Amino acid sequence: MKAQALHGHLDALLLAVLEQGALHGYAIIEALRARSDGSLDLPTGTIYPALRRLERAGHVASTWSTVNGRERRTYQLTDSGRRALAGERDGWHEFRTTVGRFLDPGSPPATSA
């Protein structure tokens, strides 16, 4: 899956990965790949700018740590990030339900009150 297909959803995916705990950038990329069964194989040029954007927004905090003898920036979710993730999930459920009314065979149409 290409990064363009994730437009508008990448931040939510990153927040969801970090919900499990602090990770360095490469581990985030690996977590995305693993949780998607290999469908999300995103380049560092996509992930790191998004992490910086989330950090500027206050949704992610970073610190330097040593991992396997190498200095790496480790990212973790903030309280603001947890609230943002909850909002992203609510929006995703609404989007999925609405689009499903058109694309899922056998999905019941919305009823008017």
Side-chain angles (χ1 to χ4, degrees):
M1 182 176 291
K2 301 215 185 277
Q4 290 173 325
L6 296 174
H7 184 71
H9 301 289
L10 179 59
D11 289 359
L13 294 173
L14 292 171
L15 293 173
V17 165
L18 290 171
E19 182 179 38
Q20 304 301 313
L23 294 169
H24 59 82
Y26 185 73
I28 293 169
I29 293 170
E30 287 295 309
L32 287 167
R33 188 178 299 130
R35 284 178 65 175
S36 69
D37 291 329
S39 293
L40 298 178
D41 189 12
L42 302 173
T44 58
T46 297
I47 299 301
Y48 286 106
L51 288 168
R52 285 192 294 275
R53 183 176 59 252
L54 289 169
E55 189 170 21
R56 282 193 305 271
H59 300 323
V60 168
S62 69
T63 57
W64 285 99
S65 62
T66 303
V67 179
N68 296 329
R70 296 180 60 191
E71 286 291 313
R72 296 187 185 234
R73 187 176 293 270
T74 301
Y75 300 88
Q76 66 181 37
L77 206 56
T78 63
D79 289 340
S80 172
R82 290 182 202 294
R83 288 189 298 275
L85 179 57
E88 292 285 348
R89 283 190 169 127
D90 289 344
W92 171 251
H93 291 298
E94 182 179 341
F95 177 80
R96 184 176 62 193
T97 299
T98 301
V99 172
R101 290 182 183 129
F102 296 91
L103 300 181
D104 289 338
S107 183
T111 57
S112 299

